[in-house]
Amino acid sequence: MPRHLLTGTELSAAELATLLDRAAELKAAPLSSSALERRTAALIFERPSTRTRTSMEAGVVELGGHPMVLRPEDLQLSRGESVRDTAIVLSRHVAVIGLRTGSDELLEELAAHATVPVVNLLSPSHHPCQVLADLLTLREAFGALEGLKLAYVGDGNNVARSLGAVGALAGVQVSVAAPAGYQLEDSADVSVTDDPVAAVAGAHAVYTDVWVSMSDDEASASERRVALAAYRLDDELLDRAAPDAIALHCLPAHPGEEITAEVLYGCRQRIWDQAENRRHAQKALLELLVG
Ligand code: CP
């Protein structure tokens, strides 16, 4: 059976720690591994992506492999071929399949029938690759992860869920501050409040994400902006966190909405390191799954 990464919780705590160590090594020496030499990674993007696509493509090349980026219209899947048949055929040609999709069920079905590892490149419920990079970034900032407190402020979405689930493996406590209707109600891994100031008290990192995600329709956008207006990550909120707290954002950002430009480009953020760390963390993941 291949090893998949659909939620991030397929990793043990020890594997996660080793993966982050390896990611740091690969960051220091990006061309030191040939784990994917002459192998192909199929990267299917049903949705747009800047960070995930570029970091995966560049990362596969740095590992000696060939990234095959596929849009839905490139595949017979868009003309009714089954997910099962697609999984079987792709598995005969490539070493690993990455998928960004608007359907958790499609991802699970692909993984159920693939005979090579499947990596979730973002689904409605989870974004585990993002959180591997986030944990690497936290480790760089604080040296260790165990006992850190992270406050996520804003829409309780897939990133918040993955932060709770994968963060728990590393001993990172996650609290989510969101208004009623936007809270992460189905996660046992996070503490939930509607008070952003309470959530950030003592936090080593304050994290936010867009208020209107790719899966949200434009009709609900203005309603979401009103509901989430009190959950903006600004300097005042960051001042309420621990004295050396850092600001994080998985990007893309909308300065003036969920985060101010002062924080996004300021001296307390590690957001651009987070974006870079996608590549290093995913390379370590690919080594683990394919190597
Ligand atoms: N954070 C993230 O996944 O960015 P992209 O949507 O640009 O890949």
Side-chain angles (χ1 to χ4, degrees):
M1 280 291 287
R3 288 204 70 182
H4 303 308
L5 188 97
L6 307 188
T7 66
T9 54
E10 298 87 352
L11 298 171
S12 68
E15 283 176 324
L16 177 60
T18 303
L19 186 154
L20 295 175
D21 286 343
R22 185 64 187 141
E25 286 171 8
L26 289 167
K27 184 169 183 174
L31 302 182
S32 60
S33 171
S34 51
L36 286 183
E37 194 171 7
R38 288 188 280 164
R39 319 279 304 274
T40 296
L43 306 172
I44 306 170
F45 283 89
E46 283 185 356
R47 300 273 174 99
S49 166
T50 296
R51 279 140 292 273
T52 308
R53 176 172 172 174
T54 54
S55 60
M56 284 297 285
E57 262 196 85
V60 169
V61 170
E62 287 181 1
L63 291 172
H66 167 60
M68 180 189 284
V69 175
L70 299 164
R71 303 283 303 175
E73 60 270 24
D74 297 327
L75 296 167
Q76 297 284 9
L77 196 56
S78 64
R79 295 181 60 248
E81 186 169 20
S82 70
V83 176
R84 179 179 187 158
D85 292 1
T86 305
I88 294 169
V89 172
L90 287 183
S91 299
R92 298 288 178 109
H93 296 297
V94 306
V96 60
I97 304 169
L99 174 65
R100 168 167 288 200
T101 177
S103 164
D104 290 304
E105 294 73 25
L106 192 153
L107 177 72
E108 283 160 21
E109 196 180 346
L110 187 82
H113 297 292
T115 55
V116 297
V118 172
V119 176
N120 181 357
L121 302 179
L122 182 147
S123 67
S125 297
H126 304 281
H127 199 358
C129 288
Q130 177 64 53
V131 173
L132 296 180
D134 300 340
L135 294 177
L136 180 60
T137 310
L138 281 170
R139 221 181 65 151
E140 288 172 347
F142 297 104
L145 294 175
E146 181 74 40
L148 291 184
K149 185 180 170 200
L150 181 146
Y152 176 97
V153 178
D155 183 24
N157 62 11
N158 49 1
V159 173
R161 182 178 294 101
S162 289
L163 279 167
V166 186
L169 284 176
V172 177
Q173 262 181 276
V174 176
S175 56
V176 175
Y182 297 86
Q183 289 183 352
L184 199 58
E185 278 156 5
D186 59 352
S187 172
D189 301 305
V190 303
S191 56
V192 174
T193 174
D194 61 3
D195 181 351
V197 174
V200 306
H204 301 91
V206 184
Y207 197 123
T208 192
D209 190 7
V210 291
W211 289 344
V212 184
S213 296
M214 283 184 279
S215 53
D216 299 316
D217 58 56
E218 269 308 307
S220 69
S222 51
E223 193 181 310
R224 298 179 70 83
R225 289 186 183 104
V226 170
L228 290 157
Y231 295 81
R232 178 172 297 121
L233 174 47
D234 57 15
D235 278 317
E236 198 183 332
L237 188 63
L238 204 48
D239 286 342
R240 302 294 198 108
D244 57 350
I246 60 171
L248 297 175
H249 191 312
C250 59
L251 302 173
H254 294 86
E257 285 195 16
E258 77 281 354
I259 191 167
T260 60
E262 288 72 21
V263 173
L264 180 62
Y265 303 110
C267 58
R268 292 194 282 181
Q269 58 74 28
R270 294 290 183 111
I271 292 166
W272 309 103
D273 290 339
Q274 247 182 304
E276 178 188 336
N277 285 340
R278 294 292 305 272
R279 177 163 47 91
H280 310 304
Q282 287 157 190
K283 282 172 68 182
L285 174 68
L286 290 171
E287 270 195 350
L288 175 74
L289 298 182
V290 179

